[in-house]
Amino acid sequence: MERICPDHDSTPLNHENMKEYKYTINGTKYEVAVGDVEENIVTVTVNGEEYKVEMELPAEPEKKKPVLGKPAAAAESSTDSSAVADKAAVNKNNAVKAPLPGVITDIKVAVGDEVQAGDTVIVLEAMKMANALQAEKAGKVTAVCVKIGESVMEDDALVVIE
């Protein structure tokens, strides 16, 4: 090793399974042998006296646990929005359903709107592509079951047309 700082001097002496160093700190000489390492405990001999030294383990980065459910924007506005229908109370037989999991990026209709077959009612982003979901039949929108920003799963009811 090279000179560490003006007051500290270190010279390595390497043996088979042990690393030995000679240090001079403020004029005092130390012979240090670093021995076996077991997990975070190291055997160190300083001037013939053996010590067990515990090394600090590196702190593990905090892992954020994913939270499943609505995005924050959708969760905040869910309590004050009366335009979104109670999903348990709608007739899902007449609903436009999500063809695959995704996020609602646009809602083109509102409750009470008249739609024709083929009209775009919802835009769903899935696999980084916008999918325009169309009404399968003509009728009146009786329920909108989702909000912009909401995550949906395959076969979730989105808009009910009767």
Side-chain angles (χ1 to χ4, degrees):
M1 260 187 193
E2 295 180 32
R3 192 165 175 79
I4 297 172
C5 69
D7 295 332
H8 303 278
D9 189 13
S10 166
T11 308
L13 302 172
N14 293 323
H15 292 286
E16 262 182 58
N17 291 330
M18 196 177 270
K19 290 185 180 180
E20 293 184 8
Y21 301 90
K22 286 189 177 183
Y23 290 98
T24 302
I25 302 174
N26 294 330
T28 305
K29 294 186 183 225
Y30 298 92
E31 288 186 22
V32 179
V34 179
D36 295 331
V37 178
E38 294 179 26
E39 293 184 24
N40 66 328
I41 305 293
V42 181
T43 304
V44 179
T45 306
V46 180
N47 292 344
E49 256 187 76
E50 189 172 286
Y51 299 93
K52 296 283 185 190
V53 178
E54 183 177 356
M55 297 185 297
E56 287 186 16
L57 295 174
E60 291 187 26
E62 186 178 322
K63 295 178 182 174
K64 293 184 179 182
K65 295 179 182 176
V67 178
L68 300 177
K70 297 179 182 177
E76 289 171 7
S77 62
S78 65
T79 55
D80 61 332
S81 176
S82 59
V84 176
D86 180 10
K87 291 180 185 175
V90 299
N91 180 0
K92 294 180 182 174
N93 295 332
N94 295 325
V96 174
K97 295 181 181 176
L100 63 169
V103 176
I104 303 301
T105 57
D106 198 5
I107 301 172
K108 302 285 189 183
V109 296
V111 174
D113 287 356
E114 293 288 334
V115 295
Q116 300 300 314
D119 287 354
T120 298
V121 293
I122 294 274
V123 179
L124 172 74
E125 183 179 307
M127 298 184 290
K128 300 192 184 223
M129 291 185 62
N131 299 281
L133 305 183
Q134 300 170 344
E136 297 169 2
K137 64 179 185 172
K140 185 176 187 178
V141 175
T142 58
V144 176
C145 304
V146 293
K147 291 185 288 292
I148 293 176
E150 185 174 341
S151 294
V152 295
M153 298 303 292
E154 184 175 351
D155 290 328
D156 281 356
L158 307 176
V159 176
V160 178
I161 301 169
E162 295 192 35

